[in-house]
Amino acid sequence: EHNPYNQQHHQQLQQQQAGVVQIAVPWRPPETKIATIAAGPGHVLALSGCGGVWGWGSNECGQLGLGHNNSWQSTPANSTQVLDGAWKAAGDVIVSAACGDSHSALLAGSGAVYTAGCNKQGQCAQGIMLQMVRY
């Protein structure tokens, strides 16, 4: 016999076992919409349609691109100011992102690539560990 309550309960148990957490209040950045997200094992980057970048989760190696390596960012933090102030050309926007274990890569519309985080194996394409680099 089909019991909808048992089916719903079973789905909730499967989600809990898989580590799925339902967000009670969805997060939205001010005055824009998120166009895409990239997720690594411990951190997430969200990109808006106008090139804004927000990150949250693990930041032990600076992989959120916030300009520091405070170990944990529990709420979405805007990385756009760091990009605008350091390497990103005026008018250039971030169009894509990818997240690794402890590093992130951002692709700008101009073709510039920005990386942040751990560079122990050269994953940020630099000889030394840097917070945010352009190549």
Side-chain angles (χ1 to χ4, degrees):
E1 178 179 326
H2 179 70
N3 183 334
Y5 174 78
N6 282 341
Q7 184 177 3
Q8 181 181 11
H9 181 70
H10 180 68
Q11 288 173 336
Q12 289 173 345
L13 285 175
Q14 285 179 324
Q15 289 176 343
Q16 288 173 353
Q17 290 168 351
V20 175
V21 178
Q22 183 175 358
I23 299 172
V25 179
W27 169 79
R28 289 184 181 89
E31 301 178 18
T32 190
K33 292 182 181 179
I34 294 301
T36 187
I37 62 169
H43 69 291
V44 176
L45 295 178
L47 280 62
S48 72
C50 59
V53 180
W54 288 265
W56 62 93
S58 177
N59 192 45
E60 290 179 9
C61 296
Q63 62 265 46
L64 297 179
L66 300 173
H68 60 75
N69 62 347
N70 297 345
S71 64
W72 188 257
Q73 180 66 43
S74 60
T75 58
N78 193 327
S79 303
T80 309
Q81 290 92 352
V82 175
L83 289 167
D84 287 342
W87 292 275
K88 196 172 75 143
D92 205 1
V93 296
I94 301 301
V95 296
S96 182
C99 298
D101 286 341
S102 55
H103 70 287
S104 301
L106 303 172
L107 175 64
S110 67
V113 175
Y114 302 90
T115 59
C118 181
N119 189 46
K120 289 182 181 176
Q121 294 152 345
Q123 59 268 53
C124 289
Q126 298 295 314
I128 59 172
M129 188 172 167
L130 297 173
Q131 290 291 67
M132 180 73 75
V133 296
R134 177 182 178 179
Y135 61 94

